[in-house]
Amino acid sequence: GVPIGISPAVGLFGAGLWIPRAMAILRTVLIAGLVLLSVRRETESWTLAAASAGFVFLGFGLLVEPPGYIRPESTMLLLCLLGFFVLRVSFSFWGALASAALLSLAFFSGTHAIWFVLGAVFATALDDRTRLIPFAGSLLAMIGGGYFALTSVVGPSLHLNAWEAPIQAMSWNGVNLLHYVGDHLPGKLGVLTLAAVLTIALPTQPWRGKGGLWMWMAAATMVLGLVMTQSADL
């Protein structure tokens, strides 16, 4: 996915290490900008929106590589955010179709996006049932059809790299799991974890309604983190 993503820029500017690094930084800035836009729309507060965008950059410093580090996960996350945002702001069949297309692209950027896909489907099943069938059906057709088409072109190596290798790398690791649950969530992510827990005490259910999409995305992120603690590739 990374070579395909940077190939147009290489064609325009020539080969150079600065190109993928610049694109990685651009994706990080776009993720922060999309978070800022989403929070501003939900809360009507520029303060909370700016703070949320700041948390995006803070997360890179605390938990992952520097923003210029070249990995497909940033593309996957950007597409997932776009997919959830489109699903949040739209009410029509075409909005559901566009969201499904973005989430499908996210899946092909990184198969870990399947957790975000499931989160979006669960949220739609709860509060947007009129669009559930077209949304879930489009996801199934795009992901299934795209995977079949790519397998026909690339061959069995696609299945090996996309599924078999990651699954074989999974093994029980209680230390990593405890480190994630006992250090990252209440420590480095303590502010966000506390905010998520406190929302449960609200008179309204934060996981319901159109705005509940973001709670489902947060849940998918947490599940993905738990799963990745069991990967020997980390």
Side-chain angles (χ1 to χ4, degrees):
V2 173
I4 295 174
I6 66 175
S7 57
V10 172
L12 288 174
F13 303 106
L17 186 59
W18 68 270
I19 294 177
R21 291 195 182 279
M23 295 187 71
I25 293 174
L26 177 61
R27 285 193 292 267
T28 303
V29 172
L30 289 175
I31 289 171
L34 189 55
V35 169
L36 184 145
L37 178 63
S38 301
V39 175
R40 165 62 184 170
R41 189 181 186 280
E42 298 291 346
T43 65
E44 299 184 353
S45 169
W46 282 111
T47 302
L48 293 175
S52 299
F55 274 118
V56 172
F57 295 114
L58 180 65
F60 278 93
L62 288 177
L63 299 174
V64 296
E65 297 87 357
Y69 198 84
I70 307 163
R71 291 187 63 89
E73 283 80 3
S74 59
T75 302
M76 178 198 75
L77 181 57
L78 176 60
L79 290 169
C80 284
L81 276 168
L82 280 170
F84 271 75
F85 183 79
V86 170
L87 195 62
R88 170 67 179 91
V89 301
S90 67
F91 295 87
S92 66
F93 164 81
W94 296 109
L97 186 63
S99 175
L102 289 165
L103 290 172
S104 299
L105 286 174
F107 172 82
F108 289 110
S109 299
T111 53
H112 302 316
I114 191 63
W115 298 105
F116 295 106
V117 171
L118 292 174
V121 170
F122 283 135
T124 306
L126 278 177
D127 293 290
D128 200 3
R129 293 181 182 176
T130 57
R131 295 198 297 175
L132 174 61
I133 293 178
F135 178 62
S138 298
L139 280 169
L140 184 62
M142 291 177 186
I143 292 177
Y147 191 84
F148 176 79
L150 284 174
T151 303
S152 301
V153 174
V154 178
S157 61
L158 176 67
H159 182 74
L160 174 65
N161 292 307
W163 294 109
E164 289 188 18
I167 291 175
Q168 290 175 1
M170 301 293 290
S171 61
W172 169 251
N173 191 321
V175 174
N176 283 351
L177 181 63
L178 289 175
H179 181 61
Y180 177 76
V181 175
D183 181 22
H184 287 326
L185 289 181
K188 294 176 179 178
L189 298 176
V191 175
L192 301 178
T193 302
L194 180 61
V197 172
L198 288 178
T199 58
I200 299 176
L202 294 174
T204 58
Q205 296 176 326
W207 56 88
R208 299 300 299 264
K210 291 281 282 185
L213 270 170
W214 303 119
M215 183 63 76
W216 283 99
M217 187 172 190
T221 305
M222 182 177 293
V223 171
L224 175 57
L226 288 169
V227 171
M228 293 309 297
T229 62
Q230 307 305 299
S231 175
D233 290 337
L234 293 180

